[in-house]
Amino acid sequence: MLAVKVPRQEAEKVRRKLIELGVLAKGYAVKREGEFILFPVTEPVEGFELVEADFGRLEKRPHSYREVVEVPKDVKPLLPSSFDIIGDIAIIEIPKELMEYGKAIGEAILKVHRHIKAVFAKGSKVSGEYRVRELIHLAGERRTETLHRENGIRLKLDVAKVYFSPRLATERMRIFQKTRPGEVVFDMFAGVGPYAVLLARKAKLVFACDINPWAIRYLEENIRLNKANNVVPILGDVRKVAGRLEADRIIMNLPKFADRFLREAMLSVKDGGVVHYYGFGPEEDLFSEHEAKIKAIARELGFKVEFLERRKVRPYAPRQFNIAIDFRVLK
Ligand SMILES: C[S@@+](CC[C@H](N)C(=O)[O-])C[C@H]1O[C@@H](n2cnc3c(N)ncnc32)[C@H](O)[C@@H]1O
């Protein structure tokens, strides 16, 4: 095949020129011959030494597991285009019709994403007090503990024993940016500590409560891993703790039931402090119901609320969103 031969020192400059001219042949590995580099080209190029040479084909690495997965053609359109990655574990939601090809899907994911060591399918919705879901092993190691990196912190967790969603990383960073140095924060539903450990980098003190003993066990480990010694882990029902401490900022990341804990949040926040409330809302009216509940509880307690920000955090179900409402409590 036709090639341009150039001294090694000029190779990078020439490569860019050939790309600019649109004549560099794609899919071939460039060749080295002593002090020279040979570039495969699709047509003669003026001003360069041209030679004939054989080139090896570049191995084309697939970008998606869908390119290599071995499933019948008719079910291919059902393959999900994305999945969650927590540390080195992939968790994919596959439709019922694809369940019998679970192993093939898992193996394809392992093949394309070399850093993933285990693949699980979602076996149920997130449920119960601990907000965990069943997982079905598809391929790779039968291990559910992993180390996840997010926003510059390291989080050890067991995906089968605690709640954790990597999709909230941006939201957590947003709250970090709102936090002011010297604040006292109360993370009412802390899990393994993705908010608490991150906010501890700015806040003076972070109280982090969870009712799931596994979550608190991992939170304690994450405090050590990240040297977040200003986080106070509290194991138990937040109802027993609330009102017994005072915070400048409260995080209520229990979207399914947060409305049931508004009284506890308002009793625990200082006059002028801020509550970050999470919920789920239908597309056509995301916030009204939640805001009405917030106002009603404030009224009952004789407080005032000032709404600061409302936002969609992420899609949750068809035409349903995970939403956030930030509000200030005036006592
Ligand atoms: C949606 S998860 C959020 C965890 C964490 N904030 C995160 O972002 O990964 C909610 C957490 O609240 C905890 N929880 C549920 N009810 C509780 C209660 N009454 N008191 C304390 N924690 C509770 C669950 O165990 C779960 O870990």
Side-chain angles (χ1 to χ4, degrees), residues 216-264:
I216 293 297
R217 205 183 123 170
Y218 281 107
L219 170 63
E220 284 167 350
E221 188 147 358
N222 294 329
I223 290 172
R224 278 193 294 278
L225 267 176
N226 295 280
K227 301 189 175 61
N229 299 322
N230 51 342
V231 176
V232 181
I234 304 167
L235 170 61
D237 189 329
V238 75
R239 292 183 189 92
K240 299 208 176 112
V241 184
R244 289 167 56 193
L245 49 87
E246 269 210 317
D248 299 285
R249 189 173 297 279
I250 300 215
I251 300 155
M252 301 185 73
N253 185 23
L254 180 63
K256 187 92 177 163
F257 306 116
D259 55 341
R260 301 182 189 171
F261 294 86
L262 276 164
R263 182 183 304 275
E264 283 79 4

Side-chain angles (χ1 to χ4, degrees), residues 297-331:
I297 301 289
R299 207 175 308 119
E300 262 178 59
L301 295 169
F303 302 156
K304 283 209 165 71
V305 288
E306 187 189 326
F307 291 107
L308 304 173
E309 197 183 312
R310 306 158 171 89
R311 58 186 175 277
K312 278 186 194 171
V313 176
R314 60 176 179 139
Y316 164 67
R319 309 189 51 232
Q320 286 271 327
F321 283 86
N322 183 180
I323 57 103
I325 301 173
D326 299 343
F327 62 92
R328 193 184 298 289
V329 179
L330 302 163
K331 297 190 166 177

Side-chain angles (χ1 to χ4, degrees), residues 11-305:
E12 188 46 35
K13 201 171 79 196
V14 172
R15 191 183 66 86
R16 270 189 252 130
K17 184 76 190 162
L18 297 176
I19 292 173
E20 194 185 305
L21 294 171
V23 294
L24 185 68
K26 289 185 187 132
Y28 297 94
V30 297
K31 205 169 182 176
R32 211 171 135 175
E33 260 185 20
E35 285 308 296
F36 293 91
I37 299 288
L38 274 61
F39 289 105
V41 285
T42 51
E43 57 185 81
V45 201
E46 261 183 50
F48 293 106
E49 181 185 346
L50 293 170
V51 294
E52 266 301 320
D54 290 333
F55 288 90
R57 272 264 176 210
L58 273 180
E59 191 196 334
K60 191 173 162 268
R61 270 186 62 70
H63 294 295
S64 164
Y65 82 94
R66 292 188 294 178
E67 293 170 41
V68 299
V69 68
E70 287 172 19
V71 297
K73 234 182 173 164
D74 58 316
V75 295
K76 277 208 166 178
L78 299 175
L79 289 166
S81 58
S82 67
F83 50 84
D84 285 342
I85 298 176
I86 304 179
D88 58 2
I89 296 176
I91 300 178
I92 188 163
E93 184 167 4
I94 49 182
K96 277 197 303 293
E97 302 88 313
L98 283 179
M99 225 39 207
E100 62 180 295
Y101 308 107
K103 190 164 186 267
I105 292 172
E107 275 165 4
I109 291 176
L110 291 176
K111 197 164 167 186
V112 174
H113 303 275
R114 299 281 163 87
H115 61 289
I116 293 175
K117 301 289 179 240
V119 184
F120 292 87
K122 293 182 180 175
S124 71
K125 282 192 180 329
V126 164
S127 69
E129 197 167 42
Y130 296 170
R131 313 307 297 146
V132 290
R133 68 165 90 245
E134 267 172 47
L135 295 172
I136 301 162
H137 180 258
L138 298 182
E141 295 176 28
R142 287 181 184 272
R143 159 169 67 78
T144 47
E145 187 180 80
T146 189
L147 186 71
H148 184 74
R149 286 185 169 75
E150 173 184 290
N151 294 324
I153 60 171
R154 289 183 298 159
L155 296 165
K156 197 163 176 188
L157 65 121
D158 188 316
V159 291
K161 295 191 170 94
V162 299
Y163 174 93
F164 182 79
S165 171
R167 299 185 197 181
L168 294 174
T170 312
E171 173 60 20
R172 295 192 261 259
M173 183 40 78
R174 199 174 272 145
I175 305 301
F176 175 75
Q177 279 154 357
K178 289 173 193 274
T179 304
R180 295 284 142 250
E183 282 185 357
V184 175
V185 174
F186 180 22
D187 187 356
M188 290 174 71
F189 311 102
V192 302
Y195 283 92
V197 172
L198 178 64
L199 268 52
R201 301 219 151 150
K202 246 197 216 170
K204 183 170 74 187
L205 196 58
V206 181
F207 294 103
C209 178
D210 205 287
I211 202 165
N212 178 351
W214 283 105
I216 293 297
R217 205 183 123 170
Y218 281 107
L219 170 63
E220 284 167 350
E221 188 147 358
N222 294 329
I223 290 172
R224 278 193 294 278
L225 267 176
N226 295 280
K227 301 189 175 61
N229 299 322
N230 51 342
V231 176
V232 181
I234 304 167
L235 170 61
D237 189 329
V238 75
R239 292 183 189 92
K240 299 208 176 112
V241 184
R244 289 167 56 193
L245 49 87
E246 269 210 317
D248 299 285
R249 189 173 297 279
I250 300 215
I251 300 155
M252 301 185 73
N253 185 23
L254 180 63
K256 187 92 177 163
F257 306 116
D259 55 341
R260 301 182 189 171
F261 294 86
L262 276 164
R263 182 183 304 275
E264 283 79 4
M266 289 193 203
L267 288 173
S268 307
V269 74
K270 285 185 193 165
D271 177 23
V274 172
V275 178
H276 300 286
Y277 171 96
Y278 294 95
F280 295 124
E283 197 173 24
E284 58 282 6
D285 188 2
L286 293 168
F287 307 107
S288 305
E289 207 188 312
H290 296 289
E291 288 184 356
K293 285 181 182 160
I294 293 168
K295 281 192 224 157
I297 301 289
R299 207 175 308 119
E300 262 178 59
L301 295 169
F303 302 156
K304 283 209 165 71
V305 288

